[in-house]
């Protein structure tokens, strides 16, 4: 079959990727192993693995990246944070990830550890995500065989990062990260498509050229919805909040419904793909993809 013709005539399906975090117990690790098999079988562009600020779960992150590399078909992507870490430690951490055969990174500053303020010198003196992006490029340059292997992603904030004073400042900073070598961005959670679409449109007018993947999380509980609202920096949709409460605080299908509607608007508005925060479960995110017709029946079986 002629691959070029196939590509030219086939309708382009939107793409997707997932985020997981290291398990915090043996039982959770078993459940996560099961979940990532299903996630991998869905054929994502990558599965990203979170990293505890100040290196608190560095080994667990690395173990999970290795598990993905050795036991699934998915491309692992390593989150890395700088908070409270010095340059040497960070460079060693980048090399450790590369030694594990993982070459894709999400370069982050990370949040301050619990009880430590933004103005604490251990936090304010940390490298920024921009400097980490440069450090990852340096680590690649130290290994000529891998210089052109792997991509670096960075975070973007459609509703603004708490440290920035305006959208313009957030956009300027994202463009600076692009200039430092970032090849794509993944957003913080948000509730309304317009928040993402207007942010990307303004950023593109200001010179952003890299793709910005919208980060979406189908919530199951009222507690998760409150957490998302906190991260999004916006109140949760009143109707979703009410419906979840009426369902006794737990209704995974409502989170799926809301995420499907949001993803449809985003993809129709030009989002290049969707990045799904899985909360280490596969059922809800696969239900979202199925409803969006981005998934053939789950090959592993539900
Ligand atoms: P930076 O890009 O360094 O800065 C954040 C903001 O500060 C900028 O957007 C800008 O508004 C402002 N700013 C900083 N420096 C400047 C400057 N010189 N000039 C102007 N403005 C500046 N945290 C974890 O601990 N582990 C994770 O695994 C993790 N994964 C995440 C994944 C995604 C997709 C997202 C969106 C966030 C994630 N976070 C994670 C949270 C993130 O680390 C925090 O939001 C942190 O507070 C900021 O990190 P950053 O990389 O965006 O920082």
């Amino acid at each position: 079959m002629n691959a070029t013709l196939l590509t030219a005539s086939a309708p382009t399906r939107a793409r997707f990727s997932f985020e997981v975090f290291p398990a915090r117990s043996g039982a959770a690790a078993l459940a996560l192993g099961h979940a990532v098999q299903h996630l991998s079988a869905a054929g994502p562009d990558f599965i990203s693995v979170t990293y505890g600020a100040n290196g608190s779960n560095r080994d667990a992150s690395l173990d999970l990246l290795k598990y993905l590399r050795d036991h699934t078909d998915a491309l692992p992507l390593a989150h890395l944070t700088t908070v409270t870490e010095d340059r040497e430690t960070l460079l060693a951490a980048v090399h450790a990830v590369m030694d594990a055969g993982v070459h894709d990174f999400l370069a982050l500053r990370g949040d301050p550890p619990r009880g430590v303020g933004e103005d604490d010198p251990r936090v304010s003196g940390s490298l920024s995500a921009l400097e980490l992006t440069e450090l990852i490029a340096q680590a690649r340059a130290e290994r000529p065989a891998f210089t052109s292997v792997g991509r670096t992603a960075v975070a973007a904030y459609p509703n603004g990062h708490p440290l920035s004073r305006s959208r313009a400042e957030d956009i300027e900073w994202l463009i600076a990260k692009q200039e430092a070598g970032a090849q794509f961005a993944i957003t913080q959670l948000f509730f309304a498509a317009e928040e993402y679409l207007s942010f990307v449109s303004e950023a593109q007018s200001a010179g952003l050229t890299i793709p910005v993947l919208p980060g979406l999380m189908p919530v199951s509980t009222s507690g998760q919805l409150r957490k998302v609202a906190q991260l999004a920096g916006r109140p949760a949709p009143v109707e979703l909040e009410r419906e979840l409460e009426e369902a006794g605080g737990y209704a995974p299908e409502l989170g799926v419904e809301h995420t499907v509607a949001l993803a449809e608007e985003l993809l129709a508005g030009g989002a290049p793909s969707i990045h799904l925060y899985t909360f280490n479960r596969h059922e809800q995110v696969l239900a979202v993809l199925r409803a969006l017709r981005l998934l053939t029946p789950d090959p592993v079986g539900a």
Side-chain angles (χ1 to χ4, degrees):
M1 179 123 20
N2 182 317
T4 319
L5 273 182
L6 183 65
T7 314
S9 59
T12 332
R13 262 195 183 183
R15 297 296 310 154
F16 54 87
S17 51
F18 300 121
E19 176 189 291
V20 295
F21 54 83
R24 297 189 182 107
S25 70
L30 284 176
L32 178 57
H34 175 71
V36 296
Q37 291 305 329
H38 286 278
L39 295 172
S40 162
D45 285 339
F46 60 85
I47 298 182
S48 78
V49 175
T50 66
Y51 190 82
N54 68 58
S56 55
N57 66 351
R58 182 185 305 141
D59 293 346
S61 287
L62 201 54
D63 282 349
L64 181 51
L65 289 163
K66 287 180 186 165
Y67 181 87
L68 289 170
R69 184 206 58 193
D70 292 342
H71 301 288
T72 74
D73 292 328
L75 183 73
L77 180 146
H79 294 206
L80 204 57
T81 63
T82 65
V83 143
T84 73
E85 305 248 35
D86 62 32
R87 182 178 286 271
E88 292 315 307
T89 312
L90 284 165
L91 194 57
V94 174
H95 278 296
V97 171
M98 290 167 74
D99 285 342
V102 175
H103 296 275
D104 292 291
F105 291 90
L106 175 56
L108 299 152
R109 193 207 62 171
D111 285 320
R114 206 178 291 265
V116 179
E118 282 286 350
D119 50 1
D120 186 296
R122 285 171 295 164
V123 176
S124 55
S126 300
L127 264 59
S128 66
L130 186 152
E131 289 166 309
L132 179 58
T133 302
E134 290 169 344
L135 200 69
I136 292 167
Q138 180 192 327
R140 288 197 181 110
E142 286 169 9
R143 298 172 164 218
F146 295 117
T147 302
S148 59
V149 177
R151 295 169 305 161
T152 304
V154 290
Y157 300 85
N159 290 326
H161 185 277
L163 283 178
S164 81
R165 281 160 297 191
S166 64
R167 174 173 272 194
E169 202 173 271
D170 262 312
I171 288 176
E172 223 173 273
W173 184 241
L174 181 57
I175 291 173
K177 293 198 274 192
Q178 167 181 280
E179 280 162 9
Q183 282 133 310
F184 67 98
I186 306 178
T187 74
Q188 183 55 278
L189 297 165
F190 58 91
F191 291 114
E194 184 49 30
E195 293 163 2
Y196 165 91
L197 295 171
S198 64
F199 175 80
V200 173
S201 159
E202 281 178 44
Q204 286 173 339
S205 300
L208 191 80
T209 53
I210 58 174
V212 181
L213 281 48
L216 307 176
M217 183 172 132
V219 297
S220 298
T221 66
S222 300
Q224 283 177 356
L225 188 64
R226 280 193 290 276
K227 176 77 185 154
V228 175
Q230 192 195 339
L231 289 169
R234 291 284 185 280
V238 178
E239 204 176 324
L240 180 58
E241 196 172 23
R242 185 177 47 75
E243 286 174 349
L244 261 169
E245 269 162 28
E246 282 170 6
Y250 176 76
E253 66 285 0
L254 291 176
V256 170
E257 225 171 83
H258 178 267
T259 307
V260 169
L262 182 53
E264 276 170 346
E265 258 190 89
L266 292 166
L267 294 169
S273 75
I274 52 173
H275 183 66
L276 292 159
Y277 294 67
T278 68
F279 222 72
N280 285 4
R281 305 285 306 230
H282 62 282
E283 298 90 341
Q284 266 182 304
V285 293
L286 296 189
V288 167
L289 295 175
R290 234 176 259 123
L292 292 169
R293 298 183 192 288
L294 299 183
L295 198 64
T296 45
D298 180 4
V300 177

